[in-house]
Amino acid sequence: RPEDGGDAPPPVILVLPKGVQPETEDARGLANKVLVILSVLATIFTTTAYALTCYALNPSFFQAVVNDNNISLIPPTILPIFIGTITLQVIHETAHLIAAKRTNTTIGRPVPLPSLQLGTFGCITPLRSFPPTRHALLDIALAGPVATLLLSTLSITCGIFLTVNAPADVLPTLPVMPSIIFKSSFLTGFITSILSPKILTLPVSQPIPIHPLFLIGLTGLISSCLNLLPIGRLDGGRAAQAVFGRRSSQLLSLLTLALLAFAALSGSSVLSIFWGLIVTLFQRVPEINCRDEVTEVDDFRFWGYVAVLCLVGGILLPFPGGGAF
């Protein structure tokens, strides 16, 4: 390595067959375009269903909608969670786009992935040109999920604070969820233990009102972490390929897929069943090469990626006494 006092490696020209060229938007067939439209419609439906589910245990909402047949109450009630969930994903994709433009890399139109548990799993955002370097690939991969993680953590923190300090007349209008949701992630449990430790002492099945900001942040937090898993063409798979190289990242991808399969078969995580299926069908293959595959990422980016991996573990693992998604 030149920075270690050695000579610079000789330039190498790698000739690739046309089949490994990044696919262009114009090359996509009619079937793919129809699938994209269906995916968008399905994501709108599942995000609406997620927002509606958040109010299912609210007795006032249930009485008005089910018993009194006041359907007009639904749109204004669930709209904040719907818009908040979609907004986080828009910010996620915007951060990808900004990072790609800074590195002169072309990315395709994002395709949203529906999820009944979270509203959306995020988006598939294909690369339409070869990234110039491995550190450029890492920057593109981490820009979206890191931005969403920061905003989601802020949203969760504000949501807990506003829940604890909500006036008595506001509490009946809030979403209602079992208290175990605060223990579904170690990070959310840790934040709750600081802001309102009494919530963690409640029975796990106890329904409690929760500010919508908490639920918006939670879905952004979990979907970002799922996309940061080091698998194939996920954001995490691209980051692992940039940091560890192509061969090592493929081995890490297989190991992570095996862990997902174990979590699904053991029943410890329902979410891993659906996410594992989507990843296996659409995102398991390695990402395209960078134009410069030789130069490694710098130490700052390497340790930054390690820190992100540790954060992902702290989010996906449940708080003591809770259960995984």
Side-chain angles (χ1 to χ4, degrees):
R1 297 176 58 179
E3 60 268 32
D4 296 332
D7 295 329
V12 176
I13 298 177
L14 180 64
V15 180
L16 299 174
K18 187 176 181 180
V20 301
Q21 292 289 326
E23 183 185 34
T24 62
E25 295 290 339
D26 296 335
R28 306 183 74 181
L30 178 61
N32 281 337
K33 294 178 181 178
V34 171
L35 188 62
V36 169
I37 295 174
L38 292 176
S39 183
V40 171
L41 295 176
T43 301
I44 294 174
F45 172 78
T46 55
T47 305
T48 302
Y50 169 74
L52 187 60
T53 302
C54 293
Y55 285 90
L57 295 179
N58 183 305
S60 301
F61 182 80
F62 186 88
Q63 171 69 27
V65 174
V66 178
N67 296 336
D68 300 338
N69 201 28
N70 185 11
I71 306 299
S72 62
L73 183 65
I74 295 178
T77 302
I78 70 174
L79 196 60
I81 293 180
F82 178 88
I83 292 178
T85 301
I86 297 298
T87 299
L88 281 180
Q89 297 306 322
V90 171
I91 293 172
H92 182 121
E93 297 307 319
T94 301
H96 279 315
L97 180 61
I98 293 173
K101 285 186 176 298
R102 290 185 61 186
T103 58
N104 295 319
T105 305
T106 304
I107 60 176
R109 299 188 187 97
V111 180
L113 297 173
S115 168
L116 288 173
Q117 295 88 356
L118 300 173
T120 174
F121 279 123
C123 297
I124 294 177
T125 308
L127 297 182
R128 298 305 187 202
S129 67
F130 295 108
T133 60
R134 285 165 60 174
H135 79 252
L137 178 61
L138 181 64
D139 291 348
I140 295 170
L142 293 186
V146 168
T148 310
L149 284 175
L150 293 174
L151 289 175
S152 297
T153 303
L154 178 62
S155 180
I156 285 174
T157 304
C158 292
I160 296 174
F161 178 82
L162 292 174
T163 298
V164 174
N165 295 279
D169 60 325
V170 173
L171 289 175
T173 67
L174 297 179
V176 176
M177 300 290 285
S179 66
I180 194 174
I181 196 170
F182 289 96
K183 298 181 180 181
S184 58
S185 163
F186 188 88
L187 179 62
T188 58
F190 175 75
I191 296 174
T192 306
S193 69
I194 296 175
L195 298 179
S196 182
K198 290 184 179 179
I199 293 180
L200 300 178
T201 65
L202 296 173
V204 294
S205 59
Q206 174 71 43
I208 59 174
I210 303 174
H211 195 276
L213 279 177
F214 176 88
L215 298 170
I216 293 169
L218 185 63
T219 186
L221 204 67
I222 301 302
S223 63
S224 294
C225 285
L226 291 176
N227 278 280
L228 279 169
L229 292 177
I231 300 174
R233 295 192 173 186
L234 296 179
D235 291 333
R238 290 169 174 169
Q241 182 173 317
V243 172
F244 301 119
R246 198 169 186 83
R247 183 174 300 178
S248 298
S249 65
Q250 288 181 22
L251 181 61
L252 187 58
S253 178
L254 289 174
L255 178 61
T256 308
L257 280 172
L259 291 175
L260 271 180
F262 175 79
L265 294 175
S266 65
S268 59
S269 173
V270 177
L271 200 60
S272 64
I273 300 175
F274 299 97
W275 184 237
L277 181 62
I278 290 175
V279 169
T280 302
L281 291 176
F282 302 110
Q283 294 286 80
R284 72 181 186 277
V285 298
E287 191 50 89
I288 59 176
N289 291 292
C290 300
R291 291 200 294 269
D292 177 4
E293 285 280 336
V294 176
T295 306
E296 299 176 355
V297 299
D298 54 61
D299 289 343
F300 176 79
R301 287 181 170 84
F302 175 84
W303 289 110
Y305 174 66
V306 171
V308 168
L309 280 183
C310 294
L311 181 60
V312 169
I315 292 172
L316 293 181
L317 292 177
F319 194 80
F325 275 90

